[in-house]
Amino acid sequence: MANRKVEKRQITGPYVGIIGLGYVGLPLAREFCRGGAKVLGFDINSKTVALINRRKSPIKHISNATMAEMIGSGQFRATDDMSQLSKPDALLICVPTPLTKNREPDLQYVESTSRMIARYLRKGQLVVLESTTYPGTTREVMLPILEQSGLKVEKDFFLAFSPEREDPGNRQFRTATIPKVVGGYGPESLQRALDVYRYAIETLVPVGTCEVAEAAKILENTYRCINIALVNELKMLFDRMGVDVWEVIRAAGTKPFGFSAFYPGPGLGGHCIPIDPFYLTWKARQYGLATQFIELAGQINTSMPHYVVARVTDALNERRKSLKGSRVLVLGLAYKPDIDDVRESPSLELIELLQEKGARVDYNDPYIPQTHKQREHDLRMKSKKLTARTLAGYDVVLIATNHSDYDYRWIVKNAQLVVDTRNATAGVRTGRSKIVKA
Ligand SMILES: NC(=O)c1ccc[n+]([C@@H]2O[C@H](COP(=O)([O-])OP(=O)(O)OC[C@H]3O[C@@H](n4cnc5c(N)ncnc54)[C@H](O)[C@@H]3O)[C@@H](O)[C@H]2O)c1
């Protein structure tokens, strides 16, 4: 499939450079190719570049067939040669924006990309930052670096911020159908950004400044972070009261206005929700303000893995077993269902906490055959094969990620005890006495 012949396609759109070929950059490149643009992808990781040029996808939700189509059509190729940055008409930056050890914004990737662009920037080029960051980054951090090229913004080159709203694993929306907010440094920059994005995105939402666009993205993610914290807190309370939080949310969700359902879990995961709100917290301190909602939500969400471990301990205790020495199988390492991304996944934290308490822990994840070193975790584990016998061999099976590939009825049937953090076993009728919600 990956090597099938693909017709060369006529290029009718702009020449776009996408910097950072990860979970955000690659789907964006795909949409530009579909829209008739020519795309040059840049990445500092030469292994990623080589893989892509061999028509293989580095991420699960872009297939090798899609990669073959993009490259085979003559519209897309990848490079780690940054001197080619002067070629495209527009450069869209999709590099990581993590936190430092002290939980402060780590803009090293945005800064190094900007320095690289400044070396090769030419007249007429448009530069757009897509990475999530605090309001002010484009103007205060990127612009001074780009102007070291000697070129002037809004006159010689153009600058905008347009946040990515990628949601890997979402079957309802894809990059092209998610409306895109665009903020320009000035009117000319905004217009040029809109002219480029219309080749890839169906609905564009122009806003007054880069700062509005930056703040809109942070608002979206902070809203999720806080609402998830709220239901996580309620989960702990309702559990003590003997009330099922999942049933409560289902009931409240029938209100046709004024309520959006959020769901509890074992903690927050992913590159965005646990991290982005703290970009704003850091910026707020410069204005002498504390973002109390964000801090509180952070505290609740980061305490969730501890709560889950306490529930596992209690469930074992009920069966006259101690966590120390018990065999635990964690199901799902990814931070959400049906994806292969483990960044900030609460499963990693769960495994470490369980190990610290003396449990013998394994994991299974159909999309993650082995663990790789993460910023804060290096588990060095391999996914265990799921069979009826292996399941039965564990004292407890802990559902951390509700991948839809799992057969939950079969899991409950064969496991001794199931602790379910995602309500994944809601539809299982038999063996309910073995299930503990957490
Ligand atoms: N993953 C998501 O679902 C998602 C959704 C919305 C927004 N975002 C935001 O988008 C940004 C990118 O996230 P991602 O998930 O795609 O990250 P990613 O880690 O999947 O991909 C980033 C890529 O950038 C490359 N890179 C790093 N520095 C570079 C440089 N100087 N030049 C060229 N390439 C470089 C890396 O090698 C990597 O391949 C982040 O700011 C993130 O917060 C992510």
Side-chain angles (χ1 to χ4, degrees), residues 19-26 42-45 48 59 82 93-98 108-110 112-113 116 130-133 163-168 217 221 271-272 276 335-336 341 343:
I19 306 166
L21 301 174
Y23 286 88
V24 165
L26 269 183
F42 293 88
D43 205 292
I44 45 169
N45 186 336
T48 301
I59 54 178
M82 300 296 162
I93 304 171
C94 308
V95 297
T97 43
Q108 60 164 311
Y109 303 101
V110 171
S112 64
T113 304
M116 198 57 82
E130 295 228 359
S131 307
T132 310
T133 182
E164 186 48 61
R165 284 171 163 168
E166 190 63 23
D167 186 17
K217 173 71 189 184
N221 285 357
H271 189 350
C272 299
D276 303 342
Y335 74 86
K336 66 176 183 176
D341 191 348
R343 285 177 291 179

Side-chain angles (χ1 to χ4, degrees), residues 193-208:
L194 295 172
D195 288 346
V196 168
Y197 279 117
R198 73 186 170 85
Y199 284 91
I201 311 289
E202 287 174 12
T203 308
L204 296 173
V205 185
V207 295

Side-chain angles (χ1 to χ4, degrees), residues 223-240:
Y223 170 81
R224 282 194 67 74
C225 174
I226 288 173
N227 279 287
I228 292 169
L230 174 65
V231 286
N232 275 336
E233 186 172 70
L234 293 179
K235 168 175 83 167
M236 294 186 283
L237 170 65
F238 290 161
D239 178 54
R240 281 204 193 171

